[in-house]
Amino acid sequence: MALLDSSRSILVVIDLQGKLVQMVHRPAQVLETTRRLLRLADLFAVPVVLTEQYPKGLGPTEASIRGTFDELTTPTFFLEKTAFGCCGDSEFEALLQKARPVVRPQQRQIVVAGIEAHVCVMQTVLELLVSGHEVHLCWDAISGRGEDYRGHALERMAAAGATITNHESVAFEWARDKNHPQFKALSALMKEGQPQG
C-alpha cells in the first residue's frame, strides 16, 4: 500500500461519544491522539468526516474532540447514523465525494480513528476495503471495551487489507519533506508530549 498523500486523504473519526468513550481501553490516549490527528488534518488541508452513532442514546461527541473539530479550517463533514458501519448510511459516500470531489474512490486514502474497534470501526473499514478504498488505521486512536476486542479487530482489518499505522507516521507521510511549509508546525505539535494512557 502506498504512502499517504495529503491530496488524496480523508480523516474519518468514528463515534467518540459520551460515556462510551470513557469505557474503552486507554481512553486518554485515544482522545489525545485523535485531537492531534484533527490538528494535523488542518495543517495539511485534509478533509475530516466526524460521525456519531445514535447520539440520542449514546450521547454527543466527547467535548474536546467536538471542540477541536469545530475549530478546523479544513473542510469538515458530520454524519449522524444508526447503521453501525458508516458505509451502511447512504449519506457517507456522498460526504466522501464532497470531501474529495476529483478523487475516485479507488484513489482515496481513508485515515481512521474512533471506537469501537470491533463494531463500528471494523464494519466501516471492511466495507471501505470492499469498495476499493485504501484504509489506514491509526492504532493509537482506535479502541474498544477491552484490549482483546481491540487487538483482534485490528488483526482482522489488517488481514482484510487495511494498513496499521499511527498518528506520527500519518503526519510525516503527509509532510514527506522537512522543507514542507507545515513541517515546523508539525514538529511543534509532536513536541507537546506523547499521549498517555
Side-chain angles (χ1 to χ4, degrees):
M1 194 167 292
L3 292 173
L4 285 165
D5 177 345
S6 61
S7 70
R8 296 196 286 134
S9 296
I10 302 170
L11 174 61
V12 176
V13 178
I14 301 172
D15 305 349
L16 288 173
Q17 292 168 251
K19 294 178 182 178
L20 183 59
V21 77
Q22 297 302 330
M23 297 169 64
V24 302
H25 181 66
R26 295 191 298 200
Q29 179 189 45
V30 170
L31 291 172
E32 176 56 29
T33 303
T34 303
R35 286 190 293 270
R36 282 185 176 211
L37 279 168
L38 289 166
R39 292 167 65 190
L40 288 164
D42 214 34
L43 288 178
F44 293 98
V46 171
V48 178
V49 178
L50 177 74
T51 75
E52 289 182 353
Q53 172 67 26
Y54 185 56
K56 183 178 178 181
L58 296 177
T61 298
E62 191 273 341
S64 71
I65 299 295
R66 185 65 201 226
T68 304
F69 175 79
D70 288 341
E71 292 171 0
L72 299 178
T73 57
T74 195
T76 58
F77 305 89
F78 173 75
L79 176 66
E80 181 179 319
K81 62 188 178 66
T82 58
F84 300 119
C86 296
C87 300
D89 189 299
S90 59
E91 190 181 347
F92 184 62
E93 173 58 31
L95 294 182
L96 297 180
Q97 178 63 31
K98 287 179 185 176
R100 290 291 183 201
V102 298
V103 179
R104 292 182 292 120
Q106 292 75 19
Q107 295 177 316
R108 292 181 196 141
Q109 296 177 319
I110 311 297
V111 177
V112 177
I115 61 175
E116 287 196 57
H118 63 296
V119 184
C120 296
V121 171
M122 188 164 65
Q123 290 189 30
T124 300
V125 167
L126 295 178
E127 289 190 294
L128 283 169
L129 290 168
V130 166
S131 61
H133 294 80
E134 273 187 40
V135 181
H136 297 252
L137 301 170
C138 286
W139 68 261
D140 47 355
I142 291 172
S143 196
R145 281 178 283 184
E147 175 59 12
D148 287 342
Y149 284 99
R150 174 183 173 276
H152 290 301
L154 288 170
E155 289 173 5
R156 181 176 171 188
M157 290 183 282
T163 294
I164 306 297
T165 189
N166 61 77
H167 79 285
E168 289 194 17
S169 292
V170 169
F172 284 91
E173 287 174 42
W174 281 344
R176 293 291 177 90
D177 192 301
K178 71 169 280 309
N179 293 320
H180 190 287
Q182 295 294 359
F183 183 75
K184 286 185 179 178
L186 180 164
S187 184
L189 179 58
M190 294 304 165
K191 288 175 183 174
E192 290 182 7
Q194 290 301 311
Q196 300 296 315

